[in-house]
């Protein structure tokens, strides 16, 4: 048998074997942030909570602490000062740091080192999220103790999260209540899912600690991100209660 014939048979055999073998499963993406401490069940109010796993995960990455030694308070709020500190920790961890922030100087607000670190790290960025965050940081003393809303929380995060950490896994061309591209990126990456079947964001709604924990857990670990398909919103049907093809008004025939 000629050499070419042998080569053809070997190639055919190799192809047959490769088709017969199951395809290798895709390797899961590694977490963006490692666990640096262990959650030992100390937050008793998490035992029956909808966000127990996520709250435990963000505690282990050191992004969030409890409100006491025994409570996480998932229904509580986060102030703008607290969100600033969380964002500074995230930025430091994403760039190879340990998430430990400097102590504030005597007489300075407790959150000032976090605000200073973020201001310095975002100074050269020209992204919309960074520009917006810098504007908020420059006036932080006026509203530091006010509860943060969902929109501002995502914009703060978007200012420090690199684009490659937001690989899209969902097709989300639009949302009912916002066209903001940073918010859309978080939906497309499976970090945000919305408050209804249409993906409504409710950006002005006050952020709860539980919601923040879920967002941060999905951000820190791509394995937690959600795939979904949003329903298309028909304003005629949902708002007016009519079929989409209903004639509501006729002018000049």
């Amino acid at each position: 048998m000629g050499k070419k014939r042998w080569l053809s048979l070997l190639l055919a055999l190799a192809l047959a074997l490769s088709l017969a073998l199951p395809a290798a499963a895709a390797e899961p993406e590694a977490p963006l942030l490692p666990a640096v401490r262990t959650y030992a069940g100390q937050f008793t109010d998490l035992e029956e909570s909808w966000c127990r796993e996520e709250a435990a995960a963000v505690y282990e990455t050191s992004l969030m602490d409890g409100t006491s030694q025994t409570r996480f308070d998932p229904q509580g709020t986060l102030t703008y000062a607290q969100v600033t500190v969380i964002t500074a920790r995230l930025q430091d961890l994403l760039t190879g740091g340990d998430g430990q922030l400097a102590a504030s100087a005597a007489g300075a607000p407790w959150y000032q080192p976090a605000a200073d670190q973020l201001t310095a790290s975002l100074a050269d960025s020209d992204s919309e999220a960074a520009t917006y965050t810098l504007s908020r940081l420059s006036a932080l003393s006026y509203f530091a103790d006010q509860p943060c809303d969902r929109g501002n929380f995502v914009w703060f995060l978007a200012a420090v999260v690199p684009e490659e950490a937001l690989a899209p896994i969902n097709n989300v061309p639009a949302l009912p209540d916002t066209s903001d591209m940073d918010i859309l990126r978080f939906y497309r990456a499976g970090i945000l899912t919305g408050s209804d079947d249409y993906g409504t964001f409710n950006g002005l709604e006050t952020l709860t600690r539980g919601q923040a924990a879920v967002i941060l857990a999905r951000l820190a670990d791509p394995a937690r991100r959600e795939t979904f398909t949003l329903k298309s919103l028909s304003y005629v049907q949902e708002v007016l209660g009519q079929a989409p093809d209903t004639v509501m008004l006729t002018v000049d025939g």
Side-chain angles (χ1 to χ4, degrees):
M1 185 179 294
K3 184 177 181 181
K4 291 184 178 180
R5 182 85 179 272
W6 271 111
L7 287 174
S8 297
L9 287 172
L10 289 172
L11 288 172
L13 179 60
L15 179 60
L17 288 172
S18 66
L19 291 175
L21 293 173
E27 289 291 328
E29 290 188 64
L32 298 180
L33 305 180
V36 296
R37 57 187 177 182
T38 301
Y39 175 65
Q42 62 267 37
F43 301 134
T44 56
D45 58 347
L46 285 181
E47 289 310 306
E48 303 297 329
S49 175
W50 66 281
C51 62
R52 181 187 183 281
E53 296 300 322
E54 292 84 358
V58 294
Y59 171 82
E60 291 187 336
T61 61
S62 80
L63 285 175
M64 292 182 71
D65 294 308
T67 56
S68 73
Q69 293 295 320
T70 59
R71 289 183 58 81
F72 185 83
D73 193 15
Q75 297 305 318
T77 60
L78 283 171
T79 66
Y80 281 92
Q82 291 169 330
V83 166
T84 299
V85 171
I86 288 172
T87 307
R89 288 175 181 166
L90 175 63
Q91 186 273 334
D92 189 61
L93 288 166
L94 287 173
T95 54
D98 59 7
Q100 300 299 311
L101 305 180
S104 59
W110 68 275
Y111 56 81
Q112 195 61 51
D116 291 343
Q117 177 180 307
L118 283 178
T119 299
S121 67
L122 298 177
D124 296 328
S125 175
D126 58 358
S127 73
E128 289 186 18
T131 301
Y132 178 80
T133 300
L134 286 170
S135 71
R136 301 296 279 174
L137 291 172
S138 67
L140 183 59
S141 61
Y142 295 104
F143 52 86
D145 294 330
Q146 295 179 16
C148 184
D149 59 47
R150 288 163 54 83
N152 274 280
F153 184 60
V154 174
W155 288 323
F156 268 58
L157 298 182
V160 302
V161 176
E163 191 68 29
E164 58 269 23
L166 298 174
I169 59 175
N170 298 302
N171 178 27
V172 184
L175 295 171
D177 58 344
T178 181
S179 59
D180 182 85
M181 285 306 302
D182 286 307
I183 293 171
L184 283 172
R185 282 197 223 16
F186 275 64
Y187 273 79
R188 291 167 183 167
I191 297 169
L192 295 174
T193 59
S195 59
D196 55 30
D197 291 341
Y198 309 108
T200 301
F201 177 55
N202 291 328
L204 297 178
E205 183 180 88
T206 299
L207 177 78
T208 69
R209 289 173 53 84
Q211 291 170 341
V214 171
I215 293 171
L216 291 169
R218 290 174 180 167
L219 175 58
D221 186 358
R224 295 182 181 273
R225 299 181 186 183
E226 299 283 338
T227 56
F228 55 84
T229 301
L230 297 178
K231 290 174 61 177
S232 297
L233 177 63
S234 167
Y235 289 98
V236 172
Q237 186 168 353
E238 298 299 325
V239 178
L240 301 178
Q242 302 292 325
D245 58 353
T246 302
V247 176
M248 303 300 294
L249 179 67
T250 302
V251 179
D252 292 336

